[in-house]
Structure formats: structure tokens, C-alpha cells
Amino acid sequence: MDQTTPIHLARHHERAPRGGHARAWVAGLVLLPLAVAGGALAGLRAGAAGWPLPAWLPPSVSGPLVGRGAKPAAAADAPVLYYRDPDGKAAYALAPARTPDGRDYLPVRVGGDVDFEPRPAAKEATANATYAAPPAGGRKILYYRNPMGLPDTSPVPRKDSMGMDYVPVYEGEAEEGNTVKISPGKVQRTGVRSERAERRVVSRAVRVPGTVTLDERRVTVVATRSDAYVDHVENVTTGDRVRKGQPLVHVYSPEINAAAAQLIANPGFDGARRRLQNLNVSEEVINEMERTRKVSMAITWSAPRDGLVLQRTAVEGMKAAAGDTLFRIGDISTIWVLAEVPEYDLGSVKVGQPVGVRVRSLPGRDFVGKVGLIYPQVNTQTRTTRVRIELPNPDGVLLPDMYADVEIGTGATKPVVAVPNDAVIDTGARQVVLVDKGEGRFEPREVKIGARGEGYTEIRERVQAGEHVVTAANFLIDAESNLKAALQSMAAPKSPAEPRAQAEENPE
């Protein structure tokens, strides 16, 4: 019949006489109820007899009808529609497939169950089959905890709102205190790595700038204690090295000559000798006066020590008042380096610690000294403190005001138990180290740390040398440990014989 059929029928009815049309309409009213009643009666008899439905009937119709009667069994040679998970999970495949543990998916053939949601009976059977499996190793299951880490436990197996199975907690795991046990596969996937705790010297170098300066105890000033005139200056200039007793300058002082004349006039008079000593006349000059019984017009002043002439102010013919500096001499056999140490590093610097010093004018050469003094004052502008380093300078290559790079070796000088810095979980309030006890067992320990340096941290308590500590993925294990502690404190395990009332109260 084509699209024009209704039009032809309509025209045919228009040509039909009125009497025939009325008779056909009345016959339709009588026969239609009889046909419907007969079809319903035949369907009831077919359902009672268990007749199979036609294969061409769509699943949306066959499913509800079959559910009211006996469940049809699919023929063994019927075509396979799809494959479903053997545990009843919402996992399907168009081709043969396997579960992660190697079991084959179940085929669903034409005429079989084509509902993509398992029936309640199938769900219960699947759950019973899953939970009936004995625990690994024959250990007793104490309770089940939420797989997402929530503080929720159950005495019997159950699923959470997303369909995930609760994780069993075995008897051996709870007896080990705060020890966390992780399966070998999970340990490998998370990238857990361990390293042995060893005894080593933990030191951290504090690198700061410094300046070479003179030892204040080795600087001497040449001056007279009375008014005098400079008669002659030896050939000594600033920067020259002088030796102790080397003549520097000859001066004439009326007061010194008067005291010398009194000494010669009264031999053995101790007052005249003491007066010359008070005027800073050397013992050699006084002895020469007593031996020769003569007083020289100009008194010789000599170098009081070996060193470097830092300053020369003496000029021939000048008048020098009492106390005026004529020469300034410094001994540079031992030198100081003043380093500026930041305030936050000051606590790790101690007197006597070894120090390495390098100067830019002598590349490749290192000088070794020690911390001599920590100045008791912090610079308010730079927030640094001066640290004095004493260095031997036998060849005199270190000169005052040189710029230096200072490296102070802080930390313990004796070997201590140390672990890599990555092994310490520092929250600010506590420091935790995870000890690897083997076979996937990890124990968190709260420790006390000491010095840090060169990638290692000193452990003062609760970790012994030779124990393995976790250096990678330790935050994940620490979170698992905190979760376990929270579960043990917030939810005590109930008796396994308790009915599944809690599971029914929390269907999600």
C-alpha cells in the first residue's frame, strides 16, 4: 500500500451508497471486542503452558513477560550478544575478555538475560560468593574499614556508596601497634625507596664574606713622652718590613737630656734611671749612657717588634709633642679575618670551629684557621654579626683590607646517626621518620633532629645505625599511618557474629 491509498479509499467511500456504509460500521463495532477478548484468552493459555516467546520479540517486551513466568534458558548454540563480568559488576564487553585476576567474562546469548543491571537476587549471590572467600593466609578478619579513608568501619563485608568493597583489617595487623603494612604491588607502584641510617659527620658550611685585618694585639706605636725635635729619620718608609731593635728615628728632647745628665752625675741613683724609663728611653740607651758616662745630643728610637711599617709621620726637623705618633708598626705573622655572619646562621657558629679562607688575589690557595671570637652585637642595618677568624700568615701574603671568602664548618665534629633529609617529615610541631621493617611493613617514629648539612640530618633519638628509613613516598605511608591510628581510636571493631543491621541501616 502506498501513500495514495488513503485517498483512494476515501473516494471509494464517497461513491458507496449510504446504506452499505452503515452496515459495515455496525459490523466493526461487534467484531472488534470479540477479537480482543480472544487474543487475551490465547495469551493467558500460552503463559500458563510456558510456551516460548518468538525470537523476534524485542528484549524490552520479552524481559517483563519472562520475569512473570519461568526464566527462559538460552540455547547453547544461540548467538552471543555480549560478555559480562563474572562477579556481577557493571562491566561488559562485545568481545571475549578477562578480569584483572585472569577469569573469563561470562557470555550472554540470545534469549538470555539482556538486562544491563543485575537483578537483586544476582547481586546478593555475587556478594555472597565474593565475601565467602577465606582470608589470605587463614588470618582472622577483625573488621572492615572504609576504602576511601573515612572514619567508618563495619563488622561484616559491605560496599560504600560508589560500590567499592570495604578493606579487611586482619588480626595480625592490629597487634603491631602503629605499624603500617602495604602490599608489595602497592609499594612498587608508589615508588617507595629506603636507605640505611649510618654514623657520619654532619656538617654544614656557612659561606659569608669577610675582610682581612690586623691583629689588634700586634700593633705598636713609636712615640715620645715629652716634647722633642726630630733630628734624623732612618731610611724606613711606609710598607717596609722592620725587625725588632732596628733604628727608626733620632730625636732631641731637653727633658730626656736633663734626666740623663742627672744619671751620670749620680751613679747608682735609682731615681734618675727610673725617670728615663718613664720617658720611654730604651734599656739599651740607658745602659750605654752608664757605660760611656756620656749623653748624646739625639736619642735613638728603635722598632719595638718585627712587623710592617703601617704609618710614618716622622719628618726630619719637625717638632713632636708628647704622645705624637712617629711610626706605627704591625706584626702580620698572625692575621684576623672579620666575617659578617647572618643572624639566622649565628646559632650554628661556635668558637673553635675550623674555617677555610680564600682571597681573590691568590686563586687556588686556601688558608685554614679557626673561629676566635663572636662579637656580642648584631648590626641593626644588615642583621649580621662579626665573627673573628684567626689565621697564621707566616709568609706575609695576607695583607690588611683584603677581601676574603669565608667558609665556616658548622655541625658536629664526631660521627652521629644521620639519615637523608628526604627521610624526615617535618611538620614544624614534630619530626617523623618511617622505618622500613621489611615485607611491606613500615613503622612511623617521632624523632628529635640535630644538625643538618650536606644532604643529611642528625637523628638524636629512636633511630639506630643500620636501620632502613623511607626516603621516597614517605608522605603516602605517613597518611596511611595517621588513618590507621584514627580508625583505631574512633571506631572499635565489633563482633563478627553481629547481624548485618548496620549494613541495612546504611544502604549507601
Side-chain angles (χ1 to χ4, degrees), residues 4 65 88 119 236 238 243 266 272 280 283-284 301 311 350 360 365 378 396 398 483:
T4 61
L65 294 178
R119 294 183 176 85
V236 177
T238 302
R243 301 185 63 84
N266 301 290
N280 202 24
E283 289 293 333
E284 291 79 4
W301 250 252
Q311 183 182 8
K350 301 292 185 296
R360 296 184 177 181
R365 183 170 179 179
V378 177
L398 294 177
L483 171 62

Side-chain angles (χ1 to χ4, degrees), residues 297-495:
M297 182 63 65
I299 304 300
T300 302
W301 250 252
S302 302
R305 63 167 61 245
D306 296 343
L308 190 69
V309 177
L310 305 176
Q311 183 182 8
R312 169 187 163 170
T313 59
V315 179
E316 293 183 358
M318 66 173 290
K319 178 183 179 181
D324 286 351
T325 300
L326 301 179
F327 284 90
R328 185 166 173 262
I329 301 174
D331 183 3
I332 60 174
S333 60
T334 299
I335 208 77
W336 285 356
V337 175
L338 299 182
E340 300 289 338
V341 178
E343 186 177 358
Y344 57 82
D345 282 331
L346 193 59
S348 59
V349 178
K350 301 292 185 296
V351 175
Q353 289 177 336
V355 181
V357 177
R358 295 180 181 178
V359 293
R360 296 184 177 181
S361 61
L362 300 172
R365 183 170 179 179
D366 297 336
F367 299 87
V368 179
K370 63 179 181 179
V371 176
L373 178 68
I374 301 174
Y375 285 80
Q377 186 176 3
V378 177
N379 191 317
T380 58
Q381 297 180 351
T382 62
R383 308 307 305 174
T384 59
T385 299
R386 281 189 172 185
V387 174
R388 190 176 74 197
I389 297 105
E390 299 179 1
L391 292 176
N393 186 29
D395 51 359
V397 293
L398 294 177
L399 302 177
D401 299 327
M402 278 185 171
Y403 182 82
D405 295 323
V406 179
E407 184 175 311
I408 305 174
T410 63
T413 58
K414 297 181 179 180
V416 295
V417 178
V419 299
N421 291 339
D422 295 337
V424 180
I425 303 176
D426 194 346
T427 64
R430 67 188 187 110
Q431 293 80 35
V432 177
V433 170
L434 295 174
V435 179
D436 188 353
K437 304 179 71 175
E439 300 180 356
R441 296 179 298 122
F442 303 92
E443 179 186 358
R445 297 181 187 175
E446 188 170 349
V447 298
K448 290 186 178 181
I449 64 175
R452 295 177 183 260
E454 298 181 355
Y456 290 89
T457 301
E458 176 188 359
I459 304 299
R460 296 181 176 177
E461 294 181 2
R462 303 198 64 188
V463 174
Q464 303 296 328
E467 291 185 307
H468 286 77
V469 295
V470 180
T471 59
N474 45 7
F475 286 96
L476 300 177
I477 303 176
D478 184 58
E480 185 77 13
S481 173
N482 294 335
L483 171 62
K484 179 179 179 180
L487 291 175
Q488 291 178 349
S489 61
M490 298 178 62
K494 299 180 178 57
S495 174

Side-chain angles (χ1 to χ4, degrees), residues 225-276:
R225 298 179 181 178
S226 62
D227 293 342
Y229 297 88
V230 177
D231 184 66
H232 176 69
V233 180
E234 297 290 339
N235 188 19
V236 177
T237 60
T238 302
D240 289 343
R241 298 180 185 273
V242 296
R243 301 185 63 84
K244 183 178 180 180
Q246 180 178 342
L248 297 178
V249 62
H250 304 272
V251 298
Y252 164 74
S253 172
E255 189 173 354
I256 293 177
N257 285 359
Q262 186 178 7
L263 175 64
I264 294 173
N266 301 290
F269 180 58
D270 187 64
R273 185 180 183 90
R274 187 174 297 276
R275 184 180 178 188
L276 289 174

Side-chain angles (χ1 to χ4, degrees), residues 206-241:
V206 176
R207 296 179 176 88
V208 292
T211 304
V212 178
T213 185
L214 293 171
D215 187 343
E216 297 173 353
R217 300 164 298 186
R218 297 175 180 267
V219 178
T220 305
V221 172
V222 178
T224 61
R225 298 179 181 178
S226 62
D227 293 342
Y229 297 88
V230 177
D231 184 66
H232 176 69
V233 180
E234 297 290 339
N235 188 19
V236 177
T237 60
T238 302
D240 289 343
R241 298 180 185 273

